[in-house]
Amino acid sequence: MIQASELTKRYGAKTAVDELSFTVQPGVVTGFLGPNGAGKSTTMRMILGLDAPSAGEVTVNGRRYRDLPAPLHQVGALLEARSIHTGRSAANHLLALAQTHGIPRRRVEEVIDLVGLRSVARKRAGTFSLGMGQRLGIASALLGDPATVVLDEPVNGLDPEGIHWIRNLLRGLAAEGRTVFVSSHLMSEMALTADHLIVVGRGRLLADMTTGEFIAQASPALVRVRSPHATRLRELLLGDGVTVRSDGPGILEVGGLAIEEIGDRAATEGLTLHELSAHQASLEAAFMEMTRDAVEYEAAA
Ligand SMILES: Nc1ncnc2c1ncn2[C@@H]1O[C@H](COP(=O)(O)OP(=O)(O)OP(=O)(O)O)[C@@H](O)[C@H]1O
Ligand SMILES: [Mg+2]
């Protein structure tokens, strides 16, 4: 479990992380979302003791990182910057790391297989593609069989097969009861991977809820209706708290009414429907909506 309490980081006049409080629970994948510059990497560096908070604190299993007796066995991390000795082979890189932490050689072989680097394990890591480098970074993070895993943008540079692989890996780690905290700004990917979301903007907490709740809250549910009687149906549906938008001839997008209610009302009047469907808002749309005022680096329109 990771617990941040009023966690704050200032760089001069800039507040990168602003009184952030949250808990990352074991057994689920928690996505850490936010626009560029929102403070995700800074927060992760503070979790790992690489940056000192200006105020507040963050603990892993009740202790600050630097007070953990055997950190590599408790927290595995992949941070943004690649820190791989380029002259070494992947296997030697992992072996060196294992040896300095009393981890048996057998575990090195295990993680090489786990991340799918077997065929290139003897090659120099400096020749690795971005995706292979990410896999090696993940292998390093998992070497100590940690109960808590912190990954900063692990999907960066991975091809579709790699993205699929990491999704299953993260879900598997969570299913084993581990605490999995993973940052991304790829909303569609997080929608498939994360059970819970912590969303930040300009260093502040914007949301801390399940992925389903986040989508439902950020953009209201709409029902899409297609009917040759769209005009009459529109009049029939309009009322207090109901919005009806037209999205082309014969098509209505209805807010504020349950899908059953719309179908029932149409049936009462004998109006034919060609489509009646719940319009699922995407996480992408929900994210854009929620972080609209908190975007640090916005493209000029
Ligand atoms: N060492 C530093 N010195 C000064 N400012 C910094 C430093 N590190 C980060 N910042 C600033 O703090 C803010 C948060 O940066 P951070 O890297 O944590 O964001 P992020 O959410 O990880 O963004 P991204 O999605 O681009 O990775 C940014 O405005 C950044 O410029
Ligand atoms: Mg970052």
Side-chain angles (χ1 to χ4, degrees):
M1 181 155 80
I2 300 168
Q3 274 179 301
S5 151
E6 311 268 302
L7 189 64
T8 301
K9 181 68 185 179
R10 290 184 211 99
Y11 294 109
K14 169 96 200 166
T15 304
V17 175
D18 200 356
E19 297 187 2
L20 214 49
S21 299
F22 60 80
T23 301
V24 184
Q25 300 286 356
V28 292
V29 176
T30 301
F32 192 28
L33 301 180
N36 290 131
K40 304 181 295 296
S41 298
T42 305
T43 300
M44 286 183 157
R45 282 201 306 275
M46 288 193 283
I47 294 172
L48 298 161
L50 297 170
D51 250 341
S54 310
E57 69 164 6
V58 60
T59 59
V60 179
N61 297 330
R63 293 184 186 201
R64 282 174 298 186
Y65 187 88
R66 66 174 137 93
D67 297 333
L68 293 171
L72 206 67
H73 294 283
Q74 303 200 35
V75 190
L78 170 75
L79 292 187
E80 247 176 339
R82 284 168 64 186
S83 55
I84 292 156
H85 197 292
T86 49
R88 278 187 185 149
S89 73
N92 281 339
H93 166 77
L94 291 170
L95 200 57
L97 195 58
Q99 279 167 349
T100 50
H101 290 87
I103 294 165
R105 178 181 285 264
R106 171 173 38 84
R107 178 63 184 162
V108 171
E109 301 303 319
E110 265 173 33
V111 293
I112 287 173
D113 286 330
L114 185 64
V115 304
L117 283 180
R118 171 61 58 203
S119 63
V120 294
R122 307 288 152 201
K123 284 199 180 145
R124 280 192 304 118
T127 65
F128 278 14
S129 67
L130 186 56
M132 284 154 73
Q134 289 291 76
R135 286 176 188 245
L136 180 54
I138 291 165
S140 312
L142 298 178
L143 200 57
D145 201 17
T148 301
V149 182
V150 174
L151 307 173
D152 198 1
E153 307 273 357
V155 169
N156 265 4
L158 293 183
D159 57 20
E161 192 276 328
I163 292 174
H164 186 75
W165 165 76
I166 201 161
R167 184 185 307 151
N168 288 331
L169 177 77
L170 295 178
R171 299 199 68 87
L173 291 171
E176 289 166 5
R178 295 178 213 257
T179 301
V180 180
F181 193 41
V182 50
S183 81
S184 180
H185 40 234
L186 296 177
M187 296 309 116
S188 46
E189 180 48 35
M190 276 297 111
L192 296 171
T193 308
D195 311 286
H196 196 94
L197 297 177
I198 291 171
V199 185
V200 289
R202 293 190 195 276
R204 288 177 172 271
L205 189 71
L206 297 179
D208 179 352
M209 57 185 74
T210 68
T211 308
E213 285 166 351
F214 177 73
I215 296 171
Q217 183 196 296
S219 48
L222 290 177
V223 177
R224 187 182 146 92
V225 189
R226 207 152 52 83
S227 166
H229 314 293
T231 314
R232 275 185 59 202
L233 192 61
R234 183 174 184 280
E235 285 161 12
L236 189 66
L237 297 177
L238 275 175
D240 265 1
V242 179
T243 58
V244 182
R245 260 185 353 123
S246 179
D247 192 27
I251 299 172
L252 302 176
E253 269 185 3
V254 186
L257 276 179
I259 195 164
E260 295 82 0
E261 178 68 22
I262 297 170
D264 290 350
R265 288 204 204 168
T268 322
E269 295 291 312
L271 301 180
T272 307
L273 298 185
H274 290 163
E275 180 182 345
L276 181 65
S277 60
H279 199 79
Q280 179 66 50
S282 72
L283 185 56
E284 193 90 52
F287 176 77
M288 299 279 274
E289 181 63 28
M290 182 168 285
T291 61
R292 197 170 42 191
D293 300 327
V295 173
E296 193 98 332
Y297 310 109
E298 200 170 6

